[in-house]
Amino acid sequence: MGSSFEPSLIVESIPKLLSYLHITIEILALSVGLGLLLGILIAMPRLYHIPILKEIVTVYISFIRGTPILIQLFLVFYGLPVVVGLFGIDITRMDPFYFVIVTYTLSNAAAFSEIFRGAITSVDYGQTEAAYSIGLTPLQNFYRIVFPQAFRVAFPNIANASISSLKDTSLAFSIGVMDMMGRGETLISATMHAVEIYISLAIIYYVIVLIFERLFKWIERYLNRYLVKDELSL
């Protein structure tokens, strides 16, 4: 698009793009946090074989897995106002940011539910029987015995899914959210130098991913700290 490659534009663009980093981080934090909560709830019908709900959840997860995140984003952005409008509620003027949060929460929840389901089933059922034998209720057994162990098993996959979600947030600009990618598109229009701007974006995303990888590895070591001590003592 530009007449010549200008390396200096890469350096100049990075601060301008970083000024919108907080939007990207907000999208990631909210969608991952809400996705974790919803993912745990979605995993329950399949874990405990709850009729009807199990089938609904299975179809939901299959749909999310089988469709691109961009299609899901457009379905929520254009479809949710139509569905809500049937009940007399007008959300057509709602900030696109919230449609992004809904989309990525639903997408992350499907992934997290499968991660949690596998992790929960990996916990030895003998521990559940032991918990019942000392008088714990099923709910107490879940959040005091099963879930802490399952979360430790699930965490590496949760970290990987979160990093993938970070990269997927770059599509939020397609419905008008002014995040880093959206700002990058405006800079491209203003400068006519697409390659330099995309290189700047690639650098920023790559550095953020490296930071998150280090953070997740530290958290994983912290979660497994007692296991490491037990292995060293053997």
Side-chain angles (χ1 to χ4, degrees):
M1 296 178 68
S3 57
S4 62
F5 183 73
E6 297 183 17
S8 61
L9 190 58
I10 298 173
V11 178
E12 293 173 7
S13 300
I14 288 178
K16 297 176 183 178
L17 296 169
L18 283 174
S19 65
Y20 289 82
L21 174 61
H22 68 284
I23 303 296
T24 298
I25 298 301
E26 284 178 23
I27 294 172
L28 179 68
L30 288 171
S31 62
V32 168
L34 294 173
L36 284 170
L37 295 175
L38 184 58
I40 295 171
L41 293 176
I42 291 173
M44 295 299 105
R46 299 186 73 186
L47 279 169
Y48 296 103
H49 305 287
I50 302 174
I52 302 177
L53 283 180
K54 177 183 176 182
E55 285 70 27
I56 293 174
V57 166
T58 300
V59 172
Y60 161 68
I61 293 173
S62 178
F63 176 80
I64 295 295
R65 282 178 149 185
T67 55
I69 186 69
L70 185 60
I71 300 298
Q72 297 167 22
L73 187 58
F74 287 148
L75 283 174
V76 170
F77 184 63
Y78 293 110
L80 189 58
V82 174
V83 174
V84 174
L86 297 175
F87 301 93
I89 303 173
D90 183 12
I91 59 171
T92 54
R93 297 184 180 181
M94 191 168 70
D95 192 323
F97 177 84
Y98 297 107
F99 291 102
V100 170
I101 297 301
V102 170
T103 303
Y104 285 93
T105 294
L106 292 174
S107 180
N108 287 332
F112 291 148
S113 69
E114 289 297 275
I115 292 171
F116 278 122
R117 189 168 68 92
I120 290 171
T121 55
S122 72
V123 178
D124 185 6
Y125 188 72
Q127 298 188 46
T128 294
E129 294 176 331
Y132 291 159
S133 70
I134 61 173
L136 294 184
T137 65
L139 183 60
Q140 289 174 324
N141 167 64
F142 180 77
Y143 74 79
R144 294 178 63 178
I145 307 296
V146 176
F147 183 75
Q149 297 181 73
F151 185 78
R152 187 178 66 243
V153 173
F155 185 78
N157 289 326
I158 291 173
N160 290 334
S162 298
I163 289 174
S164 294
S165 184
L166 167 65
K167 292 181 284 188
D168 285 341
T169 59
S170 62
L171 296 173
F173 84 97
S174 62
I175 62 169
V177 175
M178 187 57 69
D179 63 344
M180 283 197 303
M181 195 68 188
R183 179 54 176 155
E185 292 297 318
T186 61
L187 288 176
I188 290 171
S189 299
T191 63
M192 302 301 289
H193 284 268
V195 174
E196 293 89 335
I197 304 303
Y198 285 134
I199 290 175
S200 300
L201 284 166
I203 291 171
I204 293 172
Y205 275 105
Y206 182 59
V207 171
I208 295 172
V209 167
L210 290 178
I211 292 172
F212 273 103
E213 284 179 345
R214 290 291 184 90
L215 175 62
F216 289 144
K217 285 182 180 177
W218 180 85
I219 295 174
E220 185 178 354
R221 285 197 299 269
Y222 178 80
L223 292 174
N224 293 318
R225 63 194 184 280
Y226 296 119
L227 292 179
V228 173
K229 289 180 181 179
D230 291 340
E231 289 175 359
L232 291 175
S233 63
L234 293 177

